[in-house]
Amino acid sequence: MALGDAELKALMYPNPAGPKPSTTKAPIDFAHVVSELGRKSMTRALLYQEYVKANEGSEVYSYSNFCAQNLALDYAQLVGIAHQMGH
């Protein structure tokens, strides 16, 4: 049995390259994160554990992406703060 090029290609590569299905990750509640980080002994690691547990069964951000998004939020908040020299 001889297979043509198209048939052989279909057998070797069943899913042609194309748009990948979009993945939606569980959203991060930044208001909660900001308020909790203000508490004594609260860390990003603890908040990440809460985030993962609250979104069990869903696709979640990795710890590094969780922290990176929080750092970006921290920077955005700092930009709006006026700072006087010497204080």
Side-chain angles (χ1 to χ4, degrees):
M1 177 175 154
L3 296 175
D5 287 340
E7 296 163 327
L8 187 57
K9 185 176 181 180
L11 287 172
M12 298 287 289
Y13 307 103
N15 296 324
K20 295 183 179 182
S22 64
T23 56
T24 313
K25 298 187 186 219
I28 301 170
D29 183 3
F30 289 111
H32 174 71
V33 170
V34 169
S35 68
E36 290 294 308
L37 282 174
R39 291 178 45 211
K40 190 173 186 175
S41 73
M42 180 55 72
T43 64
R44 283 187 169 93
L46 291 173
L47 287 171
Y48 180 72
Q49 289 174 358
E50 288 179 9
Y51 164 72
V52 170
K53 191 171 186 175
N55 296 294
E56 202 168 320
S58 300
E59 189 172 351
V60 295
Y61 288 99
S62 67
Y63 178 70
S64 60
N65 283 332
F66 179 83
C67 290
Q69 290 188 21
N70 287 318
L71 288 173
L73 179 66
D74 289 347
Y75 177 74
Q77 290 176 343
L78 287 174
V79 170
I81 298 174
H83 177 72
Q84 295 179 3
M85 296 298 288
H87 289 282

